[in-house]
Structures are given as C-alpha cells and as structure tokens.
C-alpha cells in the first residue's frame, strides 16, 4: 500500500476512550496539525478512566511514581504539576500517599483517573480551539469495512457508519485469565474491580483465596485488610512469585542499551540475537560501574527456587541498596524493549517468554515498599499465606473451595475465591471481538500467533501479509504479539506519539488526480 498525500481535513476514529485514548488525544493536540475531525467511540460509563482507573478504594494504588505516569510525551512533569495544583486546591500542606520508606509518591488509581479526565478535557478543548471537530460517541463499534482510497468505514450503534482516514484501536486489555476453570461457580468472583463494591459481599470472617500473586492479588489482600477483614487470606498461584519491591530512585542515563541504537538497526534491516542484547546490557551496567551478575541471577531464577516470604523480606531490605543494577533494568526494559523485541529471532523470543516472562514482570512491575511492609505484617500475624505450586482449585464438599498443591499435602480450604489473574497479553475484551473479527475478515488485519494483531513497530500500523495498512493502528495490548512491551503508561505515551507522527506524515487520502495515482503505485 502506497503512502497517502495531504489533501483535505483528516478524519480520525478512536475506538475506545480509556487511558490510551487520552495519551493519543494529548499527542494530537500537541502536534498542531491542520484541523480535522476526531470521533471517539466509548460505550462504557468509564470514559477516559477505563477499567483500571475508575473510583475505588485508596488501597488500589498506581505502582509507578508520578514522573512515570504523565500522559504527555516528553514532559514527565505533567502529572506531578497536576498533582501539585490539586494539593494546593485541597489545602494540603504536604503531599499525600508518600511512601515513608523510600519517599516516593504512589497515589490511588482513582486519583490518577481524575487526572486522565482533566487531561482528556484539556486536550479536547485545545483541539476544538484549534479548529478540530471532536465528537464523543457512546456506542460500540462492531465492524469495519474497506472504503475508497484506503479509508475505512466504521460500523457502530444501530447500523450507522462513519468513514475515516485513520482508525486507532485503543480497546484495552482482554478478560482476566481463568487458569483453574472456576468461572460460573458459586462463591467465585471473576473480576474483583472495583474492590469498593465487590468486597462488600464478603463476610468479615470468611477465608478468602486469591488466584494470582501479582499486583492485582496484592490489591485484593490489602483492600481486605483495610476493610477490617478478620478471616484468613490465601494468595495462591503456580509460581508464588510476588512483585519486586520498588527501590529508592537513583537516576541513570542510558548510553548503550538505547532505543535509538535498535531503531537504527531496524532501519538497516538488521536483527539482533539475545546474546547481543545481553552483551549491550552488560556494557550499560559496566558504564555505570555496576555488576550485571546479580540482576541476571534474579532474571534466571527458577520460580519457587526461593521461599516467597524470604524473597519478600530480602527485597524489602534492598530498598536503599546503592547498587543501581535493578534500577537500570527497570528503566531500560520499558524504554527500549519495544525496539528490541521485533529484531530478535523467533527462537529467542520463545525462550524469553517460556523461561523468563514471570521473573521479568515481577522485576519490572514492582510494588511500593509500604505495600510490601503491609503484606509482611499480614504474613507475620498469620492472616496471609503465600501458596505456591497450586495445581488445582475445585469445589469442596460442603461448600467453598479446595486448593491442591504439588507437594501432596492436604488441600487448603477457602470460603470464597477471587480472580486476580492478569489478562493474557494481546487478549481481546469482549466488546472488541466483533470489530477485530470484521477487520480480519476484510483483510485489514492479521492475528498474531502470540495474541492481538500484527503491528509495525515504528508506526504501530496494522500489517497483513507483510504489508502495512496506512490508516489502521493498534495502541496498547492489542499490539502485544508484535511489540510485547505494551504495558505501562510510558510505553503507551511513546506509541501514541509515534501514531500521531505517522498521521502527520500520511495525512488524508490522495487527491483524485492522475499524478497522485502514479505516486501511489
């Protein structure tokens, strides 16, 4: 498909109105393109907040400091400035939700949701002031058809359609996994959020099993504690790997393991092996005067090799460790990972996913130190138990559930089970399935074997048969099969910026002239 020339006001359709859409709208407002039309489709009541940032308990926190959660590309101070203005309006002498252990601020997700709403309204206002027509449509897009000149016709509502030059899929993440096939069973909570509502159903003395030991499982455990729950809590999973504990900040500027280095390799048509990637990471550590060995040991450790409580205590003791190794890893993976992943041979990608996925997620998505301290308090009091190597969870005679582990011990019992398993990368939310099926059937998109849709790294454009579509983009988890590193706001912000730059370069459909027809051959 050839490139398209600027001809008239561009029309953009944004499918989904959550955090990714906010990042896109802000990038569009900042780009100062010639005014056009933007239509955002969001049928849920969570406009701009999405599922993760709706009003909820204060125990449900963002696990990244404010500097890493700004929606504006190139402006890490955007969210901190908003927080400072909020503090002033509320008459706060000191910032709230500051971790006393490492001095970092971790605000509730509901507070971040308010920031998303304000940022979205600001972006929409700036676009309209610049001459853009912006419309919010509270209807679900159910299909897409090819239109003339490479445009796409979006089908929505009760048979209506809108033809656009550029379509950005911001559909969010898929359904949480169900590894023990508990869906539909009495006493099983398939989706815990918002915890402010779902946990009201639980008796204070009920024994609660939580499926999953990641950040969502931690949210559930601490929210039960905050509500005065007296019953036992079992944090159950196959690996027993808890999130790493976030350390105090020690800034580092990447010099070897940089996105620019891998982008240059991609432009040359080059590839990199996992060994070459590791060598570059070693060079990055050596430049900083740090030893790569300790971090490599954490990455390659077999799940369950270390007792999870011992590991938690060790990580808490390392919060102020002067060694910057782990901090460098946590900075480089989201910053550079999306540029590395497409260049790796398939065998290396499979090895990373099979052997190191869980440990990498644990290390690069850490929890606040005060969260870890509260978990340890629950463990030491006997209220919380970390249960690993869980092989089966099934209904128990007389009600409740039985959890069976690989050591052959007597089953553990729980009155209720809460699902805290993350969605599989690239999974589709239910409301996006018809749309994606339509795109695939129309030859506009191609499923990726690891989930989501095939996506070009540089522009986030969809690909079919190795050809890039000039006006279809995936932003967020839908691109996980191709890019893998689609988690976290910094990655979303970067990809949103890339998409707006691609729109700037591509513009609208070509003028209907012989000259432009020749240009597009």
């Amino acid at each position: 498909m050839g490139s398209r020339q600027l001809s008239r006001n561009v029309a953009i359709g944004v499918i989904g109105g959550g955090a990714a859409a906010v990042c896109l709208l802000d990038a569009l407002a900042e780009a100062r393109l010639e005014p056009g039309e933007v239509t955002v489709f969001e049928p849920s009541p969570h406009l701009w907040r999405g599922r993760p940032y709706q009003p909820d308990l204060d125990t449900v926190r963002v696990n990244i400091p404010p500097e890493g959660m700004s929606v504006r590309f190139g402006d890490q101070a955007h969210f901190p400035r908003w927080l400072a203005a909020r503090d002033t309006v509320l008459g706060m002498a000191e910032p709230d939700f500051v971790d006393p252990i490492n001095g970092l601020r971790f605000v509730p997700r509901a507070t971040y949701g308010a920031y998303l709403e304000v940022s979205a309204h600001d972006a929409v206002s700036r676009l309209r002031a610049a001459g853009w027509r912006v419309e919010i449509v509270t209807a679900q897009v159910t299909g897409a058809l090819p239109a003339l000149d490479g445009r796409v016709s979006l089908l929505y509502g009760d048979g209506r359609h809108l033809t656009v030059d550029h379509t950005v899929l911001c559909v969010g993440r898929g359904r949480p996994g169900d590894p023990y096939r508990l869906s539909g069973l009495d006493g099983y909570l398939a989706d815990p959020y918002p915890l402010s509502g779902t946990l009201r159903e639980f008796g204070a003395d009920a024994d609660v099993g939580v499926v999953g030991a990641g950040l969502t499982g931690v949210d559930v455990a601490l929210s039960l504690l905050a509500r005065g729950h007296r019953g036992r809590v079992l944090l159950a999973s196959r690996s027993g790997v808890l999130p790493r504990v976030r350390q105090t900040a020690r800034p580092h500027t990447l010099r070897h393991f940089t996105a620019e280095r891998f982008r240059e390799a991609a432009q040359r048509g080059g590839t990199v092996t996992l060994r070459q990637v590791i060598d570059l990471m070693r060079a990055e550590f050596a430049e900083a005067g740090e030893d790569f060995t300790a971090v490599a040991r954490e990455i390659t450790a077999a799940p369950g090799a270390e007792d999870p409580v011992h590991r938690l205590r060790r990580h808490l003791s390392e919060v102020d460790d002067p060694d910057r190794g782990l901090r460098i890893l946590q900075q480089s993976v989201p910053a550079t990972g999306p540029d590395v992943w497409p260049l790796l041979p398939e065998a290396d990608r499979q090895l990373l996913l099979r052997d190191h996925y869980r440990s990498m997620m644990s290390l690069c998505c850490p929890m606040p130190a005060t969260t870890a301290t509260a978990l340890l308090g629950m463990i030491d009091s006997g209220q919380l138990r970390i249960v690993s190597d869980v092989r089966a969870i099934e209904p128990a005679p007389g009600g409740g559930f039985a959890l069976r582990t690989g050591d052959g011990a007597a089953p553990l019992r729980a009155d209720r089970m809460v699902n805290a398993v993350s969605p599989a990368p690239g999974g589709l939310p239910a409301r996006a399935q018809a749309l994606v099926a339509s795109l695939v059937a129309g030859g506009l998109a191609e499923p990726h074997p690891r989930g989501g849709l095939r996506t070009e790294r540089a522009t986030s454009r969809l690909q079919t048969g190795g050809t890039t579509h000039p006006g279809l983009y995936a932003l967020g988890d839908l691109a996980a099969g191709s890019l893998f590193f689609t988690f976290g706001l910094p990655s979303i912000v970067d990809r949103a910026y890339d998409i707006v730059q691609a729109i700037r370069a591509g513009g609208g459909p070509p003028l209907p002239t012989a000259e432009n027809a020749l240009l597009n051959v």
Side-chain angles (χ1 to χ4, degrees), residues 95-383:
D96 55 359
F97 303 107
V98 175
D99 190 323
I101 297 176
N102 58 24
L104 300 174
R105 192 176 189 183
F106 300 98
V107 300
R109 289 192 208 168
T111 300
Y112 187 73
Y115 162 70
L116 290 174
E117 288 181 340
V118 171
S119 297
H121 291 308
D122 175 67
V124 169
S125 296
R126 286 186 290 140
L127 287 168
R128 286 172 173 162
W132 286 76
R133 179 176 176 270
V134 183
E135 184 177 0
I136 313 300
V137 178
T138 57
Q140 180 175 328
V141 177
T142 56
L145 299 172
L148 294 176
D149 298 323
R151 306 176 83 201
V152 172
S153 183
L154 303 175
L155 310 179
Y156 67 98
D158 53 358
R160 289 170 288 175
H161 67 89
L162 176 71
T163 300
V164 297
D165 304 300
H166 300 276
T167 302
V168 186
L169 305 174
C170 304
V171 298
R173 306 190 73 183
R175 298 172 179 173
D178 182 16
Y180 300 102
R181 300 182 181 180
L182 301 175
S183 292
L185 294 179
D186 186 39
Y188 173 68
L189 182 60
D191 186 350
Y193 296 113
L195 290 166
S196 58
T198 56
L199 295 187
R200 292 177 183 173
E201 307 170 10
F202 290 33
D205 295 307
D207 289 338
V208 179
V210 182
V211 185
L215 292 169
T216 300
V218 171
D219 280 348
V220 174
L222 293 193
S223 296
L224 285 168
L225 178 67
R227 292 180 64 85
H229 193 78
R230 297 186 295 268
R232 183 177 58 166
V233 180
L234 303 174
L235 209 55
S237 67
R238 288 174 177 162
S239 68
V241 176
L242 292 167
R244 228 292 184 178
V245 180
R246 186 174 291 278
Q247 297 173 301
T248 50
R250 296 187 185 277
H252 172 77
T253 300
L254 296 175
R255 293 180 173 83
H256 297 273
F257 202 82
T258 64
E260 291 74 20
R261 179 187 293 268
F262 292 101
R263 287 174 188 171
E264 290 172 2
Q267 290 172 356
R268 297 192 304 268
T271 60
V272 295
T273 65
L274 182 57
R275 174 53 56 189
Q276 290 171 318
V277 170
I278 293 172
D279 288 343
L280 275 174
M281 185 65 79
R282 288 184 184 279
E284 188 69 52
F285 275 59
E287 177 86 12
E290 305 294 353
D291 183 9
F292 182 67
T293 305
V295 170
R297 191 181 304 118
E298 289 270 7
I299 295 172
T300 58
E306 184 177 7
D307 176 77
V309 178
H310 180 272
R311 182 174 183 266
L312 179 60
R313 293 187 194 279
R314 178 171 62 82
H315 287 173
L316 254 179
S317 72
E318 296 170 351
V319 166
D320 291 319
D321 193 329
D323 188 303
R324 290 182 293 168
L326 186 60
R327 299 171 177 90
I328 293 172
L329 179 75
Q330 291 168 344
Q331 176 185 354
S332 60
V333 167
T336 308
D339 296 286
V340 175
W341 189 256
L343 302 181
L344 288 171
E346 181 61 24
D348 285 350
R349 294 185 221 173
Q350 293 289 352
L351 183 147
L352 285 170
L353 290 171
R354 183 186 68 244
D355 296 344
H356 307 304
Y357 175 78
R358 292 185 186 279
S359 59
M360 287 290 289
M361 292 302 99
S362 168
L363 295 174
C364 294
C365 301
M367 60 181 158
T370 48
T371 296
T373 301
L375 285 180
L376 268 181
M378 293 180 71
I379 291 169
D380 291 340
S381 72
Q383 186 177 18

Side-chain angles (χ1 to χ4, degrees), residues 36-54:
E37 301 175 1
V38 180
T39 305
V40 180
F41 297 89
E42 178 52 66
S44 84
H46 308 304
L47 180 63
W48 310 133
R49 289 175 176 261
R51 175 177 172 269
Y53 304 111
Q54 58 188 300

